[in-house]
Every structure is written in C-alpha cells, then in structure tokens.
C-alpha cells in the first residue's frame, strides 16, 4: 500500500494513515502533519487527533468537504517540517516504595532481575508520548526497556489508584483515574498530568520525551501536599 | 440577583448537566460529551432566547422530579415525547412554562424518545471543567449527574410570558429508523457478506445503552481475520465491531481511542435521531458516499436554521 492514505469518515472527518504498523517513521509523519495543521489550519478545520500511525482530522461539513480537506492536507505535507514547536522534554517523579509498587516483586520474579535492577531499568528508559486515549490524561508512552517488558496480566486487577505508574510490553502510562488494569504497577507519581492550568490543562503534548526521576516516600508526600 | 431554587425529589440514572461540550480536547483523551440529541438541546435553549452554549439538564427515560422552593422561572422541556407535570398542568415535552415556589415539576418518559432537555431562563449553577459544564460520565467531572436529595439553583431567573406555550416538534426531531452511514474507515476488514448484512438486515438497540454508546443486536459482522489495529481516534457515530462480530455505536461520552475496526460511521446529523430510539427499537443502515453525506448535512442544517428562525419570530411576535 502507498502511504499516506486518506480515508473519509462520516460527513465530517478524514483519517490520514501513514502506515499499518507502529513505527517511529509513521509516528513522525503523524506529528509533522499535526504541527503543520495547528500552525496553518484550513478553512473549516475543527480538531486533529494524533494516534500511533494516523491522524484524524475533523472538519465542519458546512464549510468544506472531504476532497477539499485532502487537497489542503496534501499541500501542508509538502511544506518543510516546521522547526518550531519541537517536542519538549518533561520529567515525571515516581516513588517505588512497596506501598505503591504493588507488582515490583512480581516483575523482578518474571524478569529474573533484582527489584533494584527493575527500578534502574525503568529509570533508564527514554519514553515518548505516542497518543492519549482511554480517559482524560491517559498518555500512552513507549520506551520501556526490553529487560523489563512483560505481557499484560491475564485478567485486570480492580481499584488501581490514580497516579499509578504502570507498564505493559514497551508501553508505560501514569494513570489519572482509579480503575482496573491488567498492566504491571511499578510505582506512584505525584506529578499532575491534569495541571489545573487553563492555558496548558495537560502536562504533555503528543511527541514529548519523558524521563522518570526517583523520589522517596517523604518527597512523594511533600509533592502531593503542594 | 434573583434566584430560583429546586429540590431534587427524584433523579434517575443518566440525568446530568450538559452544554455543547468540550471541543478540541480529544487529543488529550477527553471526549466532547455534550447532549446525546444536539438538535433538541439547541431548540430548548433557543425557545427561551438563551445563548447556544447555556447548560441544560439532560433527562433520560429514568425521569426527574423537582420541587421549586424559592423564586420562579420560565423553563423549556424539549426533546422526545416526554410527559411534563407542573402544578395541576399535564403537558407534553416541546413546551415552555413557568414554575413558582411551592410547585412540583415532574418529567417522565411518554410515548417515544430516550432523551429530553430542561432549559431555564437564567443561568443554571454548574461547575465547569476544562471550559465546559458538560458532565463527563466516567469521572463525574463538570456539572455532574443529578442526585435525589440534591438542589438545582438558577441564577438571574427570569419569567418570560411571551415564550410560554407549546412549540412545534419538527418531524426530523423524532426517532430515526433509517440511519445514513459512510463506509469505513476499516470497511476493508469486512467481506461482502458482512456488508450485505449491515445494509439489508435490521438491527435493534439493546439495553446496553448509556452515554458512551449502545450495543446493537443483529446479524454478526465478523471481520475477515482476527485483527488488531493500532489504537486510533474514534468519533461519535462510529460503528465499532468486536472480535465476535457484535456492533456497538459510540455516542457522546465515547472513549477517544480504540483498537476495534469500525465498519462504518453514522453521519453526525443522524446520531441525534438514532439516540432518540429506545432499546429494542429497530434501525436500518443506508450507505451513502462521503460527498452525498456532506450535501445531506447541508440540507439538514438549512432546515434547522429555518426552524430556529421561525421560533425566534414567534418569540418576538408574542412580546
């Protein structure tokens, strides 16, 4: 198949696909088009939603239509990638104390590493935000080192608290709601992803790079109290 | 400041505060939310001359019973064929009336429809979240769900005698049984037999129906292979098919992304009428090309604009 592919969605959107499998190249194309659109939106543009291999572009059908939008997007894709609004680097605090790291022992057991080695491997990862999904503030990151990659648990565990740092395969996520999950719980973060700042309500943008910094229980509590 | 205050005697499930919702945040995992039936919501506000984004109460068939304990306010009940009891009056929805301290207001399901909107001439007190008072059902953020024993406060409550009376219920605000879809974005994962079944056989809504979506009962639409696609954005109106061939239509509070293939997507304007069906009601899907969908949407928007200007003229004439 020749990418990009433009697929019409209902009367009001176009899905622009840059590949079938999750690759850095496909995601880079998603980010470039997303940035180009935000700096030069076409008439009738409503919003764009980036995902792993595609960008959904929603438009107002009273002002434009699918083929006009496709032409506008093809034009944007021919422009040189913008130098501005490059990805940010952000730091997320994480406390690996037993109280929070409910699966640390199990991860150590399954990977054959010591608990300290699991933590060090997690801290060594270079994570990138690929997309948000599931619920407000759920930012899916990839970059979990191979040595601690585990398949999802066979069934979800209920009541995993908001702020949990969880991993599955190459993915990593900081939860914002208390919910059931089949991912492995490695620690807890006091870093607020829903910031309460009206100008930047979510801490990350898709494409941002993330590193984790280890904190003690006392530091966790101090950060939570702020 | 003139206030009208209501005690909530009874509020069933899925009765919540909604405004137009939160656009531009799907990229952060936040669904748009807002009314299940956007046109009825718009008419409820227009009937009172309210701003288009004024928060209203969205009613499910679980109904709502209020008692006005302070002040007086004119209100509109628009959408579905609901029953409105106020003091000793018994009316249908598509009505504007004034309720005063000491009077009860009960709204319950009538002959048809799943959703109705209660708008007030004034400002409904509702806590905004991310710029909107719409309730996000998973987290309860925003204006919130109404609960028995709670209270509703309307600020700057006005009495508008010129608005009172019944308002016409246009035929396009009734439940829609023929639903226009555009194939895709993952139609290529389904064979001709699945498409034939989608277009030729009826589907019924099931009881698995809430603000996030509704599961359908009908022929199985099994994808060609066990497929997993990388998670991607979903829209209101997506017809998502799970591995066992069951179709689900995603609605106002849908998750923003998912990995199930979408065989087709309902055009935005038909989602309102689709939502006004009740569980076990039958729908049939009709596939149209994208350009025809855009043209249909423009004709429908025109009909809505004509209706709204008629409503506004009536309001002015009665002054």
């Amino acid at each position: 198949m020749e990418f990009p592919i433009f697929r019409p969605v209902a009367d009001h959107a176009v899905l622009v696909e840059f590949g079938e499998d999750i690759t850095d190249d496909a995601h880079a194309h998603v980010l470039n088009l997303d940035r180009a659109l935000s700096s030069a939106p076409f008439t009738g543009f409503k919003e764009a939603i980036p995902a792993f291999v595609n960008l959904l572009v929603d438009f107002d059908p009273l002002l434009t239509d699918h083929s006009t939008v496709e032409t506008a997007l093809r034009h944007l894709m021919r422009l040189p990638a913008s130098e501005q609004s490059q990805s940010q680097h952000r730091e997320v605090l994480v406390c690996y104390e037993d109280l929070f790291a409910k699966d640390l022992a199990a991860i150590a057991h399954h990977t054959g590493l010591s608990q300290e080695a699991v933590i060090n491997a997690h801290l060594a990862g270079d994570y990138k935000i690929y997309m948000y999904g599931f619920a407000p503030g759920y930012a899916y990151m990839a970059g979990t080192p191979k040595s601690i990659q585990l398949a999802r648990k066979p069934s979800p565990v209920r009541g995993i608290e908001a702020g949990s740092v969880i991993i599955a395969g190459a993915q990593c996520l900081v939860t914002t709601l208390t919910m059931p999950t089949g991912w492995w719980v490695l620690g807890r973060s006091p870093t607020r992803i829903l910031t309460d700042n009206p100008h930047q309500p979510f801490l990350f943008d898709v494409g941002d790079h993330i590193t984790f910094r280890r904190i003690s229980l006392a530091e966790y509590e101090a950060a939570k109290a702020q | 400041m003139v206030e009208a205050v209501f005690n909530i005697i009874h509020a069933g499930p899925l009765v919540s505060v909604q405004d137009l919702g939160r656009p531009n945040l799907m990229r952060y995992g936040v669904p748009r939310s807002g009314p299940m039936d956007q046109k009825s919501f718009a008419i409820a506000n227009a009937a009172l001359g309210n701003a288009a984004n004024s928060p209203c109460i969205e009613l499910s068939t679980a109904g709502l019973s209020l008692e006005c304990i302070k002040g007086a306010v004119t209100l509109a009940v628009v959408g579905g064929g609901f029953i409105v009891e106020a003091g000793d009056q018994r009316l249908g929805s598509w009505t504007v009336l004034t309720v005063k301290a000491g009077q009860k207001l009960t709204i319950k399901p009538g002959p048809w429809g799943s959703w109705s909107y209660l708008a007030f001439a004034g400002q409904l007190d509702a806590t905004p979240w991310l710029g909107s008072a719409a309730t996000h059902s998973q987290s309860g953020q925003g204006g919130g769900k109404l609960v028995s024993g709670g209270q509703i406060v309307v600020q700057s409550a006005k009495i508008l005698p010129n608005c009172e009376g019944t308002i016409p219920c246009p035929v396009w605000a009734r439940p829609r049984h023929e639903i226009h879809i555009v194939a895709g974005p993952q139609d290529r994962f389904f064979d001709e037999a699945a498409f034939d079944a989608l277009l030729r056989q009826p589907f019924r809504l099931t009881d698995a129906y809430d603000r996030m979506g509704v599961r359908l009962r009908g022929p199985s639409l099994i994808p060609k292979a066990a497929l997993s696609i990388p998670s991607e954005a979903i829209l209101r109106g997506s017809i998502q098919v799970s591995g066992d061939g069951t179709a689900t239509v995603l609605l106002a509070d849908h998750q923003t992304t998912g990995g199930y293939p979408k065989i087709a997507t309902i055009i935005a304007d038909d989602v309102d009428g689709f939502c006004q069906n009740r569980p076990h009601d039958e729908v049939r899907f009709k596939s149209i090309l994208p350009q025809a969908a855009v043209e249909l949407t423009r004709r429908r928007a025109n009909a809505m604009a004509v209706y709204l200007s008629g409503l506004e003229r009536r309001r002015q004439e009665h002054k």
Side-chain angles (χ1 to χ4, degrees), chain A residues 7-11 20 34 46-49 51 54 56 61 64-66 131-137 201-202 204-205, chain B residues 24-30 130 136 182 185 188 230-233 235 255-257 265-268 290-291 294 297-298 301:
Chain A
R7 300 190 191 280
V9 185
D11 54 326
E20 283 197 308
D34 185 37
K46 285 175 80 177
E47 71 180 298
I49 306 132
N54 56 36
L56 186 73
T64 187
D65 59 26
H66 303 84
M131 63 181 289
Y132 278 87
F134 181 69
F202 294 88
F204 316 123
D205 278 308
Chain B
N24 309 320
L25 292 173
M26 281 211 277
R27 60 191 298 114
Y28 298 112
V30 185
L130 299 173
H136 174 247
V182 172
R188 64 192 183 283
S231 277
E232 65 174 36
L235 292 172
Q255 290 182 9
T256 55
T257 57
T265 313
I266 299 174
I267 68 164
Q291 190 58 37
V294 168
T297 297
R298 291 176 181 174

Side-chain angles (χ1 to χ4, degrees), chain B residues 67-87:
Chain B
E67 182 176 8
C68 185
I69 57 161
K70 186 184 168 196
V73 65
T74 301
L75 49 89
V77 183
V78 172
F82 280 59
I83 292 164
V84 181
E85 292 168 353

Side-chain angles (χ1 to χ4, degrees), chain A residues 20-211:
Chain A
E20 283 197 308
D21 301 315
I22 302 173
T23 61
D24 277 340
D25 183 57
H27 195 251
H29 280 107
V30 171
L31 290 180
N32 283 339
L33 182 57
D34 185 37
R35 285 173 186 150
L37 257 177
S38 76
S39 52
F42 56 81
T43 304
F45 171 73
K46 285 175 80 177
E47 71 180 298
I49 306 132
F52 289 111
V53 298
N54 56 36
L55 184 73
L56 186 73
V57 180
D58 194 30
F59 63 81
D60 182 347
L62 302 186
L63 299 177
T64 187
D65 59 26
H66 303 84
S67 60
T68 311
V69 168
E70 179 177 334
T71 306
L73 295 174
R74 283 189 188 277
H75 173 74
L76 280 176
M77 285 181 326
R78 279 194 299 271
L79 301 176
S82 128
E83 294 296 315
Q84 294 149 10
S85 69
Q86 285 304 320
S87 314
Q88 301 283 313
H89 172 260
R90 305 213 179 261
E91 187 181 71
V92 172
L93 306 176
V94 53
C95 175
Y96 298 96
E97 291 297 318
D98 292 347
L99 174 64
F100 301 141
K102 291 190 173 131
D103 294 322
L104 183 56
I107 299 167
H109 173 76
H110 288 294
T111 57
L113 298 172
S114 69
Q115 295 192 12
E116 211 43 39
V118 170
I119 292 171
N120 287 332
H122 185 247
L123 288 167
D126 172 23
Y127 300 86
K128 189 173 99 173
I129 308 282
Y130 275 79
M131 63 181 289
Y132 278 87
F134 181 69
Y138 271 61
Y140 287 81
M141 306 175 208
T144 303
K146 279 234 154 37
S147 62
I148 56 167
Q149 289 187 10
L150 292 175
R152 238 167 252 228
K153 296 174 190 171
S155 56
V157 178
R158 294 176 70 89
I160 301 303
E161 284 188 65
S164 292
V165 178
I166 60 179
I167 57 171
Q171 300 189 92
C172 180
L173 179 67
V174 183
T175 68
T176 59
L177 289 176
T178 296
M179 59 147 205
T181 181
W183 293 27
W184 303 84
V185 184
L186 196 53
R188 182 85 57 86
S189 176
T191 304
R192 296 172 64 102
I193 297 171
L194 276 75
T195 59
D196 278 344
N197 170 0
H199 302 292
Q200 194 204 346
F202 294 88
L203 182 61
F204 316 123
D205 278 308
V206 173
D208 284 356
H209 285 265
I210 310 300
T211 49

Side-chain angles (χ1 to χ4, degrees), chain B residues 198-210:
Chain B
L198 178 70
L199 299 180
R200 290 172 198 273
Q201 294 187 44
F203 287 79
R204 286 177 189 279
L205 283 76
T206 66
D207 291 312
Y209 181 12
D210 62 17

